[in-house]
Amino acid sequence: MRLTLRQLSYFLALAEERHFGRAAERVHVTQPALSMQIREMEETLDAALFERHPREIRLTAEGREVELRARRILAEVTELEATARQRGLARRVNLGVIPTVAPYLLPEVLPMLRARDITRDLRVREATTDILLAALDRGQIDAAVIAAPQGVAGLKLVPLFVDRFLLAGRASVLAGVGTEALRPVSLDPDRLLLLDEGHCLADQALEVCGMDRRQARLDLGASSLTTLCGLAGQGLGMTFLPEIAWTKEQAAVPGLAVRRFAAPEPARQIVLARRATSSASDWLDDLAGTLAHAGETLTGQARSAVPA
């Protein structure tokens, strides 16, 4: 028998989950099917790869060696598939974008990209940062527009633009925060509206305020920035509004007012992320330039309209 890529992927899932049931669910097969593939792999290598205990499993010394090699092999396969997608007949590029950027940046960018290269098959996926990073690691997407992550290895990050945060709410609510220099740490957590867990914008808002989610008692767990702005515009609280979203959300919610924070203003760095091992392409460089130009245009409009 010979090893298969499927067996290697099952093996890595089991090595990371350390539980047959969770690993089987992760790779979308039944537990007996996964167990059989692992057994066949051990027979092929003539080595026990896992120590099986009642509550968990652990890698053996041989298993740890196989894990290192399996990761290298599957990483090479991922790059091969990505290169084939970009250079093949379809010329397909899969791009991921976080939800707090996609509705504002894509309408500006997509027409320009289509006009420059109508033969390119561009597929866009909108998802939270953790999902996009996992998809990027597995080779399901070629690049992702995200806020610069902390402590994530194996990525090439191309800076696009700086997206500053504004404080948004009804004018009467914003008046209640005083007329002095506005700082995130001075905000009342009882009035702060946040996105649902998993959205990096919510984590960034909490970080700059020096608080955790449990302190924000009006945390409604909204799934979109548009929902938060609608609630804030009705006077139900305040929320952080990225400059990139200002033009669209201010037009959609007439009652929405904004205030700018005192320097140094809280902000996020938006980047185009790709795997560090993937080969660069002129088209991705062009994509980064187009994204940067559109982002700077949108944030510049907010900086001109909302003075310090």
Side-chain angles (χ1 to χ4, degrees), residues 131-155:
I131 294 175
L132 292 181
L133 289 177
L136 194 59
D137 183 62
R138 292 193 294 265
Q140 295 171 334
I141 59 176
D142 302 301
V145 180
I146 58 177
Q150 299 293 325
V152 180
L155 294 179

Side-chain angles (χ1 to χ4, degrees), residues 50-115:
F50 295 97
E51 298 174 5
R52 292 159 172 83
H53 300 279
R55 295 186 178 275
E56 70 168 348
I57 64 171
R58 299 188 183 96
L59 284 168
T60 62
E62 293 85 353
R64 289 193 295 272
E65 176 64 24
V66 171
E67 180 186 18
L68 294 175
R69 298 191 179 200
R71 291 191 186 282
R72 288 198 296 265
I73 291 169
L74 291 181
E76 290 292 335
V77 171
T78 294
E79 291 308 319
L80 180 61
E81 292 172 342
T83 300
R85 277 201 309 272
Q86 293 187 35
R87 297 180 180 176
L89 295 177
R91 304 186 71 210
R92 178 182 299 173
V93 171
N94 294 307
L95 177 68
V97 189
I98 55 176
T100 55
V101 168
Y104 315 108
L105 192 61
L106 290 180
E108 302 290 326
V109 169
L110 291 180
M112 290 186 284
L113 294 176
R114 294 296 187 191

Side-chain angles (χ1 to χ4, degrees), residues 5-201:
L5 294 177
R6 176 179 298 175
Q7 287 174 338
L8 293 180
S9 65
Y10 288 2
F11 167 80
L12 287 181
L14 186 56
E16 292 171 3
E17 296 294 341
R18 297 190 177 188
H19 187 277
F20 276 95
R22 292 194 299 269
E25 182 178 355
R26 174 171 160 179
V27 296
H28 308 294
V29 297
T30 64
Q31 185 172 330
L34 183 135
S35 298
M36 182 183 69
Q37 291 293 326
I38 297 299
R39 286 289 187 190
E40 289 184 1
M41 186 174 176
E42 289 179 319
E43 291 174 5
T44 300
L45 296 175
D46 192 23
L49 303 178
F50 295 97
E51 298 174 5
R52 292 159 172 83
H53 300 279
R55 295 186 178 275
E56 70 168 348
I57 64 171
R58 299 188 183 96
L59 284 168
T60 62
E62 293 85 353
R64 289 193 295 272
E65 176 64 24
V66 171
E67 180 186 18
L68 294 175
R69 298 191 179 200
R71 291 191 186 282
R72 288 198 296 265
I73 291 169
L74 291 181
E76 290 292 335
V77 171
T78 294
E79 291 308 319
L80 180 61
E81 292 172 342
T83 300
R85 277 201 309 272
Q86 293 187 35
R87 297 180 180 176
L89 295 177
R91 304 186 71 210
R92 178 182 299 173
V93 171
N94 294 307
L95 177 68
V97 189
I98 55 176
T100 55
V101 168
Y104 315 108
L105 192 61
L106 290 180
E108 302 290 326
V109 169
L110 291 180
M112 290 186 284
L113 294 176
R114 294 296 187 191
R116 292 182 184 184
D117 189 354
I118 61 174
T119 64
R120 179 72 61 173
D121 183 10
L122 178 65
R123 303 290 179 89
V124 178
R125 177 182 182 184
E126 182 179 329
T128 54
T129 302
D130 58 337
I131 294 175
L132 292 181
L133 289 177
L136 194 59
D137 183 62
R138 292 193 294 265
Q140 295 171 334
I141 59 176
D142 302 301
V145 180
I146 58 177
Q150 299 293 325
V152 180
L155 294 179
K156 170 68 175 179
L157 303 179
V158 179
L160 298 178
F161 57 91
V162 175
D163 195 14
R164 295 171 178 82
F165 295 145
L166 306 169
L167 184 64
R170 285 190 72 85
S172 58
V173 174
L174 295 184
V177 300
T179 57
E180 299 180 355
L182 182 61
R183 302 188 186 282
V185 294
S186 66
L187 296 177
D188 182 356
D190 289 356
R191 308 306 306 273
L192 191 61
L193 305 175
L194 299 174
L195 287 171
D196 201 358
E197 290 190 52
H199 288 267
C200 61
L201 180 59

Side-chain angles (χ1 to χ4, degrees), residues 164-168 174 182 241-247 250 256-261 265 298-308:
R164 295 171 178 82
F165 295 145
L166 306 169
L167 184 64
L174 295 184
L182 182 61
L241 181 66
E243 285 181 329
I244 192 176
W246 177 83
T247 300
Q250 195 261 353
L256 192 68
V258 294
R259 280 189 60 181
R260 190 171 290 282
F261 288 99
E265 296 176 73
L298 290 171
T299 56
Q301 292 171 355
R303 283 194 288 275
S304 298
V306 185

